[in-house]
């Protein structure tokens, strides 16, 4: 991305850690959660790769086309999955944002479509605020006797924190486009 070095490396670390956690979430016993976690892991690692400061690694033009192709395929998959669950529409927006950023980076210039950048910034800002409110603690009872506590892949609050961090990272990346 076009941003400075230190924040770029922090963004790489955040996105890679989020992607790694999403890989752990793929161990869930619930198939839908595994699929969602896999898509989010792809997004996290893809964002980490795109956030590497250009002074360290300036990918060739074809790499941006490869990013666009991978996330274009992810967008089609998310669109297909959205038929059954509206929750996948966010994955569609994320994949489309990645395709958009890859296309802008392939051009080697700043965004030529500031309206689209603005719409994506508004969407991800609203998403981050909404997801943040879902992390506000509520009074909850612990697991009842004999019921096993959820594993790492099934902890909803960690999934929300993962999505929140990727939303914030997406905002940071869109601001540098």
């Amino acid at each position: 991305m076009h941003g400075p070095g230190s924040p770029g490396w922090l963004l790489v670390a955040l996105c890679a850690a989020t992607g790694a956690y999403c890989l752990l979430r793929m161990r869930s016993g619930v198939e839908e959660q595994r699929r969602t976690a896999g898509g989010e892991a792809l997004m996290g690692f893809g964002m980490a790769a795109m956030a590497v400061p250009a002074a360290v690694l300036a990918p060739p033009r074809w790499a941006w086309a490869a990013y666009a192709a991978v996330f274009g395929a992810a967008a089609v998959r998310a669109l297909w999955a959205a038929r059954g669950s509206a929750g996948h529409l966010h994955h569609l927006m994320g994949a489309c944002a990645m395709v958009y950023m890859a296309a802008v980076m392939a051009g080697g210039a700043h965004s030529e479509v500031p309206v689209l950048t603005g719409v994506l910034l508004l969407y991800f800002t609203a998403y981050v605020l909404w997801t943040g409110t879902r992390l506000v603690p509520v009074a909850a009872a612990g697991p009842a006797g004999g019921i096993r506590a959820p594993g790492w892949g099934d902890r909803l609050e960690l999934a929300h924190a993962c999505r929140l961090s990727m939303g914030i990272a997406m905002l940071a990346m869109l601001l540098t486009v």
Side-chain angles (χ1 to χ4, degrees), residues 32-54:
E32 179 61 25
Q33 289 179 13
R34 285 193 306 267
R35 263 190 260 136
T36 299
E40 290 172 352
L42 172 69
M43 184 69 67
F45 289 127
M47 290 171 66
M50 286 180 77
V52 172

Side-chain angles (χ1 to χ4, degrees), residues 44-126:
F45 289 127
M47 290 171 66
M50 286 180 77
V52 172
V56 174
L57 177 69
R61 270 187 127 87
W62 63 263
W64 297 112
Y67 284 131
V70 167
F71 286 103
V76 169
R77 183 180 179 280
L79 182 61
W80 184 259
R83 294 176 309 116
S85 170
H88 291 282
L89 291 175
H90 171 69
H91 294 136
L92 176 63
M93 287 295 292
C96 288
M98 293 292 281
V99 169
Y100 171 68
M101 287 188 292
V104 169
M105 295 305 290
H110 290 291
S111 170
E112 299 295 326
V113 189
V115 172
L116 184 53
T117 303
V119 168
L120 289 170
L121 284 168
L122 284 174
Y123 171 79
F124 282 102
T125 299

Side-chain angles (χ1 to χ4, degrees), residues 118-143:
V119 168
L120 289 170
L121 284 168
L122 284 174
Y123 171 79
F124 282 102
T125 299
Y127 182 79
V128 163
L129 292 173
W130 177 71
T131 304
T133 63
R134 296 177 75 187
L135 288 173
V136 174
V138 295

Side-chain angles (χ1 to χ4, degrees), residues 15-34:
C15 293
T18 301
Y21 173 68
C22 289
L23 286 178
L24 287 176
R25 285 183 35 228
M26 289 181 69
R27 296 175 45 198
S28 171
V30 180
E31 183 179 346
E32 179 61 25
Q33 289 179 13
R34 285 193 306 267

